[in-house]
Amino acid sequence: MIRAYKFLLRPTVRQEQALREMVRDHCSLYNGALQERRDAWRHSSKTSITYGNQSGQLKEIRAFDAERQGRWSFSSQQATLRRLDKAFAAFFRRVKKGEKPGYPRFKGVGHFDTVTFPRDGDGCRWDPTPHDPVARVRLQGVGHIRVHQHRPVQGRVKTIAVKREGNRWYVVLSCDNVPAEPLPDTGAVVGIDMGVTHFMTTSDGEHIANPRFLETAAGELAEAQRHLATFPKRTKQRTKAHRAAARKVAEIHAKIRRQRLDHAHKTALTLVRDHDAIAHERLNTAGMTKAPAPKPDPEQPGVFLPNQRAAKAGLNRSILDAGWGVFLAILAGKAESAGRTVVAVDPRNTSRTCPSCGHTAKENRVTQAKFQCATCGFVANADHVGALNVLNRAGLVLCDVA
């Protein structure tokens, strides 16, 4: 299996400064390569620049700018150029499919946060001092940085990435050949229904409360954003107060993200430990949270009809705050490691189908919380009914597992 391990870095003041300079120079390399591609295409010759062309120039760039670009790992700079090449490949793919193109943009220093080292030992080295009880990672141009390693690393380290999140620095290790650790069989299977009122409802009738981390921090976040809005959006150099205001907003968002991840990990771990197989709806979160299309008024050109945009925005915010996509991805990873089975089923009409007689109708869903079959009179919680139907639809696969 392939797994990623993310650890908090504990750099010294000088090491943190070097990390900032490394990210800054890689950002400069990315923007310079993007500018070269744009200028070449705008030229009358319509020249197309490839990754191979730009990678071949790295040796000259490093020799010309030895104090900045020459300090860092050659392979990490190639990874940055490869990152730009992937952005262009995705752009051309969207153009070919007729989607919104999204031409690659120049990156500001605050929006370029990751430097990747493609191979352990090439410009970087994970835990180069095994005799030292403190784990460290060595980065070319930075030195040996102390790592807060909260769990052992298994498998073979392939790539190493250094990531900045707010005022914190992390190292992300991508490892392959990670051995599975199967858990003992329990003989239990379960279906789950994701929701907003309840984060999750199981086919056993258990409701997992929705923590609503974003809603809890909404007041503090709104105040921090209002304070940030008092500063100019575009300026060559931010003042100390401006930087502090931006840092405050980023810290609140980072805390919400950590809380959401912690809740998802703990909930998924409980499910995996207690069940041999888990069934869930195949949710298209991106489609569910899409803003409604405007409705032009046919009688009044330039005027639009009400389309409940504000109400939909509130629902979208609640869905994204629940973090269904993050949770299901974590659940799949933990299940694979534990030797469990996860089945995704078609979500259509799971909350409108009676689990007793099989009758499907819109009228069965009396309210958001109540289900009452119009044919047989079966009454239950709507989320519980959804979880039962998810389990029933996955029955063929789950029966084989059980």
Side-chain angles (χ1 to χ4, degrees), residues 197-202 206-211 263 267:
T197 304
H198 303 288
F199 174 74
M200 181 182 70
T201 301
T202 69
E206 180 185 3
H207 296 292
I208 306 298
N210 187 357
H263 178 262
T267 306

Side-chain angles (χ1 to χ4, degrees), residues 36-347:
E36 183 186 22
R37 290 194 180 214
R38 290 182 60 178
D39 292 344
W41 183 252
R42 288 176 177 176
H43 191 264
S44 58
S45 61
K46 295 291 183 181
T47 304
S48 180
I49 303 294
T50 65
Y51 161 76
N53 300 135
Q54 295 186 320
S55 178
Q57 301 173 24
L58 269 179
K59 187 174 181 180
E60 297 177 6
I61 293 173
R62 290 167 59 85
F64 177 77
D65 191 7
E67 294 184 358
R68 292 185 59 180
Q69 298 296 342
R71 294 173 57 187
W72 316 116
S73 164
F74 188 91
S75 60
S76 69
Q77 293 172 326
Q78 286 181 315
T80 298
L81 295 178
R82 209 172 285 118
R83 173 178 171 181
L84 176 64
D85 191 61
K86 289 181 180 179
F88 270 97
F91 164 72
F92 290 120
R93 183 179 65 250
R94 290 189 295 267
V95 170
K96 187 176 295 185
K97 290 183 178 180
E99 301 175 356
K100 188 176 180 180
Y103 190 83
R105 299 180 181 181
F106 291 102
K107 302 286 187 181
V109 177
H111 294 274
F112 191 98
D113 298 318
T114 305
V115 174
T116 303
F117 298 84
R119 187 167 63 89
D120 183 24
D122 187 1
C124 62
R125 171 66 71 184
W126 165 247
D127 201 11
T129 53
H131 59 278
D132 193 337
V134 179
R136 299 179 188 274
V137 60
R138 183 188 66 80
L139 303 176
Q140 180 177 327
V142 181
H144 294 73
I145 308 176
R146 193 159 58 98
V147 180
H148 180 71
Q149 186 182 354
H150 58 274
R151 58 173 176 159
V153 176
Q154 295 181 313
R156 179 172 63 94
V157 178
K158 290 196 67 179
T159 65
I160 298 177
V162 176
K163 185 176 183 181
R164 176 179 57 192
E165 292 184 5
N167 59 349
R168 298 188 179 193
W169 292 88
Y170 294 89
V171 60
V172 182
L173 310 176
S174 178
C175 305
D176 64 356
N177 300 328
V178 178
E181 299 178 357
L183 294 175
D185 294 339
T186 63
V189 295
V190 69
I192 60 175
D193 179 79
M194 309 303 299
V196 174
T197 304
H198 303 288
F199 174 74
M200 181 182 70
T201 301
T202 69
S203 55
D204 300 327
E206 180 185 3
H207 296 292
I208 306 298
N210 187 357
R212 303 179 187 274
F213 296 116
L214 180 61
E215 185 177 322
T216 303
E220 183 183 7
L221 180 60
E223 182 180 354
Q225 288 175 329
R226 281 195 296 268
H227 180 53
L228 178 60
T230 61
F231 297 95
K233 289 186 178 181
R234 297 186 180 276
T235 178
K236 290 185 177 180
Q237 187 161 356
R238 291 178 173 181
T239 63
K240 184 177 180 180
H242 191 177
R243 292 195 300 271
R247 188 164 55 249
K248 178 65 175 178
V249 173
E251 287 174 355
I252 296 173
H253 278 296
K255 181 180 179 181
I256 294 171
R257 183 170 59 253
R258 291 195 300 270
Q259 289 175 324
R260 190 179 292 127
L261 282 173
D262 181 69
H263 178 262
H265 275 285
K266 290 177 178 177
T267 306
L269 183 60
T270 301
L271 281 175
V272 168
R273 283 176 173 172
D274 296 343
H275 304 90
D276 292 341
I278 304 154
H280 66 82
E281 296 173 310
R282 188 184 296 108
L283 299 175
N284 179 13
T285 308
M288 295 173 67
T289 56
K290 189 176 181 180
K295 297 181 179 180
D297 190 341
E299 299 179 357
Q300 304 180 53
V303 179
F304 294 88
L305 298 174
N307 62 348
Q308 299 182 337
R309 187 182 183 89
K312 186 63 168 66
L315 176 61
N316 293 349
R317 191 181 304 112
S318 298
I319 292 174
L320 295 173
D321 186 20
W324 298 343
V326 171
F327 168 75
L328 294 177
I330 291 173
L331 176 64
K334 289 187 181 296
E336 184 184 11
S337 298
R340 305 304 202 198
T341 301
V342 174
V343 180
V345 303
D346 188 351

